Amino acid sequence: MPYSPASGPLTANASGQPAASDDDPAAIGRRVRALREARGISLSALARQAGVGKATLSGLENGTRNPTLETLYAITAQLGVPLTAVLSAPASGATVRGAAVSATLLEVFEDSDVTYELYRMRVAPGPGQLSPAHQAGVTEHVTVFTGVLRAGPVDAPLTAAAGGHLRWASDVPHVYAAVGDEEVTASLLLRYPRK
Amino acid sequence: MPYSPASGPLTANASGQPAASDDDPAAIGRRVRALREARGISLSALARQAGVGKATLSGLENGTRNPTLETLYAITAQLGVPLTAVLSAPASGATVRGAAVSATLLEVFEDSDVTYELYRMRVAPGPGQLSPAHQAGVTEHVTVFTGVLRAGPVDAPLTAAAGGHLRWASDVPHVYAAVGDEEVTASLLLRYPRK
DNA sequence: CCCGATCGTTCCGTTTACGGAACAGCGTTG
DNA sequence: CAACGCTGTTCCGTAAACGGAACGATCGGG
């Protein structure tokens, strides 16, 4: 049983960087209250419209309760905003970092037998970074936004400039490196079969 | 959203309403399970690592429980993904709709002289949709997640299946159409020069 | 002034999400 | 083929999130 490389396109896992930072539950309450007041709605009215108790909404706004998804969804739906609008940071991101590369997960999409993970990736100028082989069947698609990227299997990396597109099977060790002095920005799509 | 008009990939419509749409709670469970299995972690192990009960995680994955934010966060943090990765919701508010195509803006990136807009796109089965010419210098990059997509200039459209990648200059009228009965899901990257 | 209406908070009984333990199913071992 | 180790599910007592009602505070009108 091959121990799968933790999360994300890089080895680095966040075992050491859990939570703490921006999951402040009180922040959610503050955002809800701000959205409500921006619309000039009273707590009582919003609670009634959303079909939740006033006690629930009050506790949520003050951070004294740990709401269920159902409750939070009912409220955000009534405010006309997506759930993500009140969760952590706007461009929320589990960010995986390496020496030269950082990648932020934008979205996960599940097909019937394949999973896609879409990242925004940045590669700093310098020697680049090595990423170990992923499980079999994993494909990486990269579209370069800025700079010049050299990436792919260690023995046969590819190069693309802004607007270019790279694609390789990543079941072998592969590298990411910025060519030149400019930081590389790109989108990275990971495609792997569901087991 | 402080973000530019940019009329999106489709003719501007933006009917606006972030309709309640489907917030299928079971879908959250399916995503969590998919992410867990993709990492080769057992339910028992993930529950222990995340500090939640096995019963909780089991119920969550099977959609028989309505988790609290705290619970869901503990699990997604351990998986190394943001909360938004498992929430069905349209990640960002800006959704552009057409008859057959809908696209949700995920992120905007500004380079010194070029702007990128990254969308998640869905194309419903059927006759497809025509999009008028964009300004000169606009390039579209599409990576297909599910289904088979036929897209590109009206006089020379290209075809790609799941995992495939298309790219064309979109300063001429172009089309999007799903081939076959399956809905097409894809990422769409718009690249255009700043004025 | 008093009164009614509404504000947000707090109290309380009910519902339910929680974690621990017991459970059945499956592969591997001795 | 019992004995293990592991999987994921189900049972159950407890903690807490829930909605409804009661509360004090604040505002505007008669």
Side-chain angles (χ1 to χ4, degrees):
Chain A
M1 47 157 120
Y3 181 36
S4 132
S7 68
L10 310 177
T11 51
N13 177 323
S15 65
Q17 80 96 332
S21 34
D22 63 343
D23 68 331
D24 183 8
I28 296 175
R30 284 195 297 271
R31 292 194 190 91
V32 169
R33 174 158 292 181
L35 287 169
R36 174 174 65 79
E37 293 181 344
R39 287 159 177 69
I41 310 174
S42 72
L43 185 150
S44 311
L46 177 58
R48 177 170 34 79
Q49 292 169 15
V52 306
K54 290 163 59 175
T56 300
L57 181 52
S58 175
L60 187 152
E61 289 192 356
N62 292 318
T64 61
R65 277 198 194 180
N66 168 28
T68 62
L69 270 188
E70 188 178 22
T71 298
L72 191 57
Y73 180 80
I75 293 167
T76 55
Q78 192 58 40
L79 288 171
V81 302
L83 269 177
T84 54
V86 300
L87 296 175
S88 55
S92 83
T95 299
V96 185
R97 280 183 171 63
V101 179
S102 74
T104 302
L105 181 61
L106 295 177
E107 205 184 20
V108 177
F109 179 77
E110 310 283 339
D111 191 7
S112 54
D113 55 346
V114 177
T115 300
Y116 294 86
E117 295 182 4
L118 186 60
Y119 294 81
R120 164 100 92 75
M121 182 172 63
R122 296 172 191 275
V123 183
Q129 182 166 337
L130 182 68
S131 178
H134 295 170
Q135 46 186 302
V138 179
T139 310
E140 302 199 17
H141 299 254
V142 176
T143 302
V144 179
F145 292 3
T146 68
V148 179
L149 178 70
R150 186 167 177 77
V154 287
D155 54 352
L158 309 162
T159 304
H165 179 253
L166 301 178
R167 174 181 172 184
W168 68 88
S170 55
D171 54 355
V172 297
H174 47 285
V175 295
Y176 302 95
V179 177
D181 298 337
E182 190 182 355
E183 182 188 51
V184 169
T185 313
S187 73
L188 168 65
L189 182 69
L190 232 65
R191 176 183 196 267
Y192 53 86
R194 193 102 48 86
K195 280 176 301 199
Chain B
M1 200 125 314
Y3 175 58
S4 86
S7 73
L10 310 175
T11 29
N13 174 342
S15 54
Q17 203 59 297
S21 76
D22 56 334
D23 166 48
D24 184 7
I28 296 175
R30 283 196 296 272
R31 292 196 187 85
V32 169
R33 174 157 292 181
L35 287 169
R36 173 175 65 78
E37 292 181 343
R39 286 158 178 70
I41 309 173
S42 72
L43 186 149
S44 311
L46 178 58
R48 177 170 36 78
Q49 292 168 14
V52 306
K54 289 164 58 174
T56 300
L57 182 52
S58 176
L60 168 68
E61 289 191 356
N62 292 317
T64 61
R65 278 199 192 178
N66 167 29
T68 61
L69 271 187
E70 188 178 23
T71 298
L72 191 58
Y73 181 81
I75 293 167
T76 55
Q78 193 59 40
L79 288 171
V81 303
L83 272 176
T84 54
V86 299
L87 297 175
S88 60
S92 168
T95 299
V96 186
R97 290 180 197 288
V101 180
S102 74
T104 301
L105 181 61
L106 294 177
E107 204 184 22
V108 178
F109 180 77
E110 310 273 340
D111 191 9
S112 55
D113 55 347
V114 177
T115 301
Y116 293 86
E117 296 183 7
L118 186 59
Y119 294 81
R120 165 100 92 76
M121 183 173 62
R122 298 172 190 275
V123 183
Q129 182 165 335
L130 182 68
S131 180
H134 295 171
Q135 51 186 300
V138 178
T139 310
E140 302 200 16
H141 299 254
V142 177
T143 302
V144 180
F145 292 4
T146 69
V148 179
L149 179 69
R150 185 167 178 77
V154 287
D155 53 352
L158 308 163
T159 303
H165 179 254
L166 301 178
R167 174 180 169 184
W168 68 88
S170 55
D171 53 355
V172 297
H174 47 285
V175 294
Y176 301 95
V179 177
D181 297 337
E182 191 183 355
E183 181 189 51
V184 170
T185 313
S187 72
L188 168 65
L189 181 70
L190 232 65
R191 177 183 194 268
Y192 55 87
R194 196 95 51 83
K195 281 179 299 198

